[in-house]
Amino acid sequence: MPELPEVEVARRALEENCVGKRIVKCTVDEDSKVIDGVSPSDLQSALVGKTIVSALRKGKNLWLCLDSPPFPTFQFGMAGAIYIKGIETAKYKRSAVNITDEDWPSKYSKVFAQLDDGLEFSFTDKRRFAKVRLVHDPESVPPISELGPDALNEPMKVDEFAKALNQKKTPIKALLLDQSFISGIGNWIADEVLYQARIHPMEKVSDLSKENYETLLKCIKEVIEKAIAVGADSSQYPDEWIVRYRDQKPGKAFVEGRKIEFITAGGRTTAFVPELQKLSSSSKAASSKSRKSKSDADDEKEAQENSKSDKDKDSSRVAKRKSKKPEDDDATQKKSSSKKPAIKESVAVMKKKARK
């Protein structure tokens, strides 16, 4: 999923190449899953003839500020990407689409625009989890209005960060992924920041020290800035970064000679190095208690389901007995009694034959 560095690289490319130019042509894909809350024709009409004043971003969301509202916003989702013809933009491998002059714009293009100097750009999404919207004030409506401070442009002070963290009891990885707390950090950045800070992803926030807070803020800044400096091209990230190896198979993933292990933290697959990222005793106890509580809850749920199943079976048997008609019982008794003489007769015949 594109995170802050990938979206920021796209924003800078638009800012450097498209600002001050007028949109003369626009094509919007008929994809209501991506083009959200506005018809393709209305979006086209809102863009054609407008001049791009700036390209803005908060967290993983980007929008174009035009010379008059409404403005298009782009939520990148799992594989959203900005392409400018003839100009290199972010190289995020899961968003990448093969584009040649013959294939331009890509078949995955959702919004295509041509500017008055002939330059063309396209927003693509091959997995269709992105959202393109048209709004008058992007920062006043969801999802942008619900975001916490931007991890790059609105860095927290250590005291502010510490105060916010002291009130939390959640594991640190889950908190870093919470866009309402701090926006722009996704799965790979969270893993990298925690690895560089030597903090276990399941460490309870309330167990962190002020030194941990300072290290975290420092690592967030460094990781994001370094990623942006190389165009968010993961192949250019430092060799000592865990992100370079997190796609390798468990048991075969190593960073700087140390084994990488994988767990689920914050609902996401998480890479960490146990040798360097150790869980404190209090967080370990809390984690163990949480697992036990979950296990107890699962056992209780299973017992309830079994009890319900037994009750359903009993109810079914009672219902069957109640549904029987009196004549059915009489018929059953008659059938039973009619068989008895036949049995007795058969026995008598056999004895008679034996005497003969």
Side-chain angles (χ1 to χ4, degrees), residues 42-61:
D42 285 347
L43 182 54
Q44 288 172 197
S45 299
L47 299 186
V48 173
K50 298 290 184 65
T51 298
I52 299 173
V53 175
S54 61
L56 304 174
R57 179 196 58 78
K58 185 164 186 178
K60 307 173 195 177
N61 295 265

Side-chain angles (χ1 to χ4, degrees), residues 22-26 112-121:
R22 186 167 53 87
I23 300 171
V24 295
K25 181 182 177 182
C26 180
F112 163 81
Q114 184 182 66
L115 306 180
D116 54 7
D117 67 344
L119 190 68
E120 298 173 347
F121 71 86

Side-chain angles (χ1 to χ4, degrees), residues 198 255-259 261 272-278:
R198 304 302 193 244
V255 55
E256 299 183 284
R258 296 182 174 90
K259 187 178 180 180
E261 290 193 5
F272 76 109
V273 177
E275 186 180 339
L276 299 176
Q277 297 168 265
K278 299 185 183 298

Side-chain angles (χ1 to χ4, degrees), residues 25 39 54 90 112 120 125 140 151 175 211 221 284 324 331:
K25 181 182 177 182
S39 69
S54 61
F112 163 81
E120 298 173 347
D125 178 24
S140 69
L175 186 65
E211 183 182 354
K221 182 176 185 293
K284 196 178 292 184
K324 279 187 177 181

Side-chain angles (χ1 to χ4, degrees), residues 170-229:
T170 186
I172 184 60
K173 169 75 182 277
L175 186 65
L176 290 177
L177 294 177
D178 182 355
Q179 300 301 298
S180 67
F181 175 71
I182 183 169
S183 60
I185 295 178
N187 200 36
W188 81 256
I189 292 181
D191 282 359
E192 193 61 58
V193 165
L194 293 172
Y195 173 65
Q196 298 299 329
R198 304 302 193 244
I199 297 173
H200 194 287
M202 292 300 292
E203 188 71 40
K204 277 199 328 181
V205 172
S206 56
D207 289 337
L208 296 174
S209 65
K210 186 174 181 180
E211 183 182 354
N212 290 145
Y213 302 151
E214 292 172 346
T215 304
L216 270 173
L217 284 175
K218 176 174 172 286
C219 290
I220 289 171
K221 182 176 185 293
E222 288 180 352
V223 168
I224 290 174
E225 288 182 348
K226 284 181 181 178
I228 293 171

Side-chain angles (χ1 to χ4, degrees), residues 245-246 248-255 258-262:
Y245 316 99
R246 70 189 309 278
Q248 294 179 9
K249 293 181 179 179
K252 296 184 178 181
F254 293 84
V255 55
R258 296 182 174 90
K259 187 178 180 180
I260 299 171
E261 290 193 5
F262 298 89

